[in-house]
Amino acid sequence: TRAAKLRTLYRIKALQGRTDVASADPNYRVRALRTPNDPYYGYQWHYPMISLPQAWDVATVAGSGTEVVVAVVDTGVMLDHPDLKDSFLRDAGGRVVGYDFIRSTTTSNDGDGIDANADDPGDESTPASSSWHGTHVAGTIGAGNNNGVGVAGVSWGARIMPVRVIGKGGGTSYD
């Protein structure tokens, strides 16, 4: 109880004031930080730098009853990516909720203009030279955690809504 904790702290304070006591501190209970089992998590050196493992211990979306949706406004996302496929916001029919706002069929690089398909066909003429930037950003936010695949996302359960506005050669502010 709160009263018991306060009594303990008063006793520790009294012990700290004694000349025959070198040190007196609370005996805190500690536990290991939440660490995902994703094989490439160890390469995500920047997560400990921003205290992300400590944050995961305090707050995770999974199981909280609150759905967080993050729109990734970028090059689109590889919708069949194995570490992202379960992280997309989906409609009642199971289709990914997202949009491709690129009007020019040359820029879109997918053969059509504006449509509800935010899949990223690449932002260059050849897939090998494409950035796949939207997929990278979506992975940083919402890659599946603790699924034994790829990397760990910042969120443990946020849904990704891909919004495609950048294609081959960039994008326009109109799109």
Side-chain angles (χ1 to χ4, degrees), residues 17-164:
R18 291 176 47 166
T19 58
D20 61 332
V21 175
S23 176
D25 295 295
N27 183 19
Y28 293 109
R29 177 164 303 280
V30 296
R31 57 186 169 84
L33 298 175
R34 182 179 298 241
T35 304
N37 67 4
D38 304 275
Y40 299 115
Y41 171 70
Y43 295 106
Q44 295 177 286
W45 54 267
H46 52 297
Y47 284 1
M49 291 181 72
I50 61 170
S51 300
L52 195 53
Q54 293 88 337
W56 284 333
D57 276 353
V58 175
T60 58
V61 174
S64 70
T66 302
E67 183 170 65
V68 174
V69 177
V70 179
V72 176
V73 182
D74 207 305
T75 64
V77 177
M78 297 169 94
L79 299 180
D80 61 350
H81 193 286
D83 212 7
L84 288 171
K85 63 183 173 150
D86 294 331
S87 298
F88 294 119
L89 180 65
R90 295 184 183 272
D91 65 16
R95 293 175 298 274
V96 173
V97 176
Y99 219 77
D100 177 354
F101 285 101
I102 301 173
R103 185 173 305 278
S104 162
T105 55
T106 304
T107 303
S108 73
N109 206 25
D110 64 1
D112 56 19
I114 296 173
D115 61 20
N117 181 0
D119 194 35
D120 185 356
D123 56 0
E124 293 296 335
S125 298
T126 60
S129 52
S130 290
S131 71
W132 312 109
H133 193 265
T135 300
H136 175 84
V137 171
T140 299
I141 296 165
N145 286 1
N146 234 28
N147 63 355
V149 176
V151 298
V154 170
S155 169
W156 286 63
R159 296 286 166 231
I160 301 296
M161 178 192 299
V163 179
R164 189 165 181 253

